[in-house]
Amino acid sequence: LYHMITLHKFALFTGRGLALIVLLLATQLFLSAGARADGPDKVYVTVGILDIDAISSADQIFTINVFVQFRWQDDALAHDGEGNIRRALTGIPAPRFLLINRQKTWSSLLNVVDISPGGEAVYRMRVWGDFSQPLRLHNFPFDAHDFKIPIVALSQDNAGVLPLVPDPREPSFMAQELSVADWSITEWSGDSAQLDITGEGEGNGFVFRFRAVRIYNHHVIKFIIPLILIVAMSWVVFWIDPEEAGSQLSVAVTATLTLIAYHIALAGKLPDIPYLTRMDLFLFGSTLLVFTALLEVVITSRLARSGMLGLARGMDWVCRLAFPVGYVVIAGWALGIPDLPGLVAG
């Protein structure tokens, strides 16, 4: 600034055009230096999901292969070369890019930046691994979830968060064929969003979202139908004469033990959550019916031994109709109604 004032005085006293030219050049250099000190004012982002390997409800994670490209303009990086040059990201003044929910991942690209002669920088990263995602599993196995990849860019001097905006030249994308077998991707999008970064304040980041709907055919065939058959097996006791108490008890106990084994097999499919899912309610209703059938066997066998065989047979006849009707009501209530207020609410 001192030199600029001196040149201005020189121009006034001498009236020389050369001094004015020098003054203009000095002003431009001064302004350019100030702009360079500030660094980029925003970063363009492109996110591409190359593959989705798995979505784990029990571990609350999803495993993906994702490509991310960051592009920004920084005059301080301009050079005199004829084409792009490549520099290490840590060797130049550049933002720090964070994928907030990234967990155990591996990178397959070099940590370098391609810089054009005009100062445009492009940094690419390809990451494969696990990303955390809290899931609300109330409607399991008929649930759908929004999965997110939140991204932030911290300024090179760690003074704040740089705005991230979708790249108009290279929009985000999702691969047509994905490896995940038990989920269907119905929609996806990528846009700027306000993110709260712990320790760094709040800033305008970027969030890539995709919605996944669980394909429940597998769960119906492997879990729900076998559970229905186990419960139906316990109803066989109503068709065995109460005089044959040993046969009735054998069937009832077998159904109960099979249901316990079923509980153990299903336990690893869900995390330890403090609320009930639709599957939990259906399983609880099924267990209650099997246990009630066991109690009915004990009661009718006692009645038969006490000389009230007609009453015992009448109870069996009523249960032949009441239990299937009750099970249909339980199944419709647990699996079919649109909402379960108070029971599945977290």
Side-chain angles (χ1 to χ4, degrees), residues 22 59 72 115 167 217 223 232 248 268 275 298 312 326 336 338 341:
V22 174
D59 297 325
W72 68 95
I115 306 171
D167 195 332
N217 298 351
F223 296 105
Q248 283 186 320
Y275 53 85
V298 174

Side-chain angles (χ1 to χ4, degrees), residues 45-339:
V45 185
T46 300
V47 177
I49 301 297
L50 306 178
D51 198 5
I52 301 176
D53 294 329
I55 297 175
S56 174
S57 300
D59 297 325
Q60 304 276 284
I61 60 173
F62 59 101
T63 305
I64 60 172
N65 189 340
V66 58
F67 168 81
V68 186
Q69 176 177 286
F70 302 95
R71 181 173 62 86
W72 68 95
Q73 179 66 37
D74 189 349
D75 294 338
L77 300 177
H79 58 87
D80 297 330
E82 296 181 357
N84 293 346
I85 61 173
R86 178 164 290 184
R87 295 288 183 268
L89 180 64
T90 55
I92 61 172
R96 291 191 296 131
F97 303 106
L98 302 176
L99 280 62
I100 296 178
N101 60 339
R102 178 176 177 178
Q103 291 190 329
K104 187 176 181 180
T105 60
W106 293 265
S107 180
S108 59
L109 293 180
L110 297 176
N111 198 28
V112 295
V113 180
D114 293 324
I115 306 171
S116 70
E120 181 181 82
V122 178
Y123 172 59
R124 302 176 181 89
M125 58 191 306
R126 181 177 177 181
V127 176
W128 176 82
D130 298 335
F131 290 74
S132 63
Q133 178 64 53
L135 301 177
R136 305 292 290 175
L137 299 167
H138 304 92
N139 293 320
F140 174 85
F142 308 106
D143 50 337
H145 305 279
D146 291 322
F147 295 85
K148 302 177 182 179
I149 306 176
I151 305 171
V152 294
L154 304 180
S155 60
Q156 57 195 39
D157 54 0
N158 293 330
V161 180
L162 291 176
L164 296 179
V165 296
D167 195 332
R169 291 194 335 211
E170 299 183 48
S172 299
F173 62 91
M174 171 80 72
Q176 294 292 329
E177 297 184 2
L178 302 172
S179 298
V180 62
D182 53 342
W183 294 80
S184 175
I185 309 302
T186 59
E187 57 184 273
W188 58 269
S189 64
D191 207 349
S192 301
Q194 285 294 117
L195 298 175
D196 185 14
I197 301 93
T198 304
E200 302 290 348
E202 187 176 272
N204 187 13
F206 185 92
V207 176
F208 186 91
R209 298 178 175 87
F210 64 91
R211 185 165 183 80
V213 179
R214 192 189 302 271
I215 300 175
Y216 55 80
N217 298 351
H218 163 77
H219 298 276
V220 170
I221 295 173
K222 195 170 183 179
F223 296 105
I224 294 179
I225 292 179
L227 179 58
I228 294 174
L229 295 178
I230 293 172
V231 176
M233 180 178 68
S234 69
W235 301 339
V236 173
V237 298
F238 307 138
W239 299 86
I240 301 175
D241 193 273
E243 289 184 317
E244 301 179 19
S247 299
Q248 283 186 320
L249 285 173
S250 177
V251 172
V253 171
T254 300
T256 303
L257 294 177
T258 305
L259 195 60
I260 293 173
Y262 179 88
H263 273 271
I264 297 174
L266 190 61
K269 296 295 181 179
L270 288 175
D272 295 328
I273 49 181
Y275 53 85
L276 297 177
T277 67
R278 291 184 183 272
M279 193 64 189
D280 291 328
L281 294 175
F282 184 55
L283 183 57
F284 175 77
S286 302
T287 305
L288 185 62
L289 281 182
V290 171
F291 182 72
T292 305
L294 177 61
L295 291 180
E296 197 271 350
V297 168
V298 174
I299 294 173
T300 55
S301 62
R302 287 292 300 271
L303 290 174
R305 287 197 302 269
S306 302
M308 292 181 284
L309 184 59
L311 179 58
R313 288 173 177 172
M315 289 183 61
D316 280 347
W317 187 90
V318 172
C319 290
R320 292 173 191 175
L321 179 63
F323 270 67
V325 172
Y327 197 42
V328 170
V329 173
I330 290 175
W333 172 68
L335 302 178
I337 61 177
D339 194 11

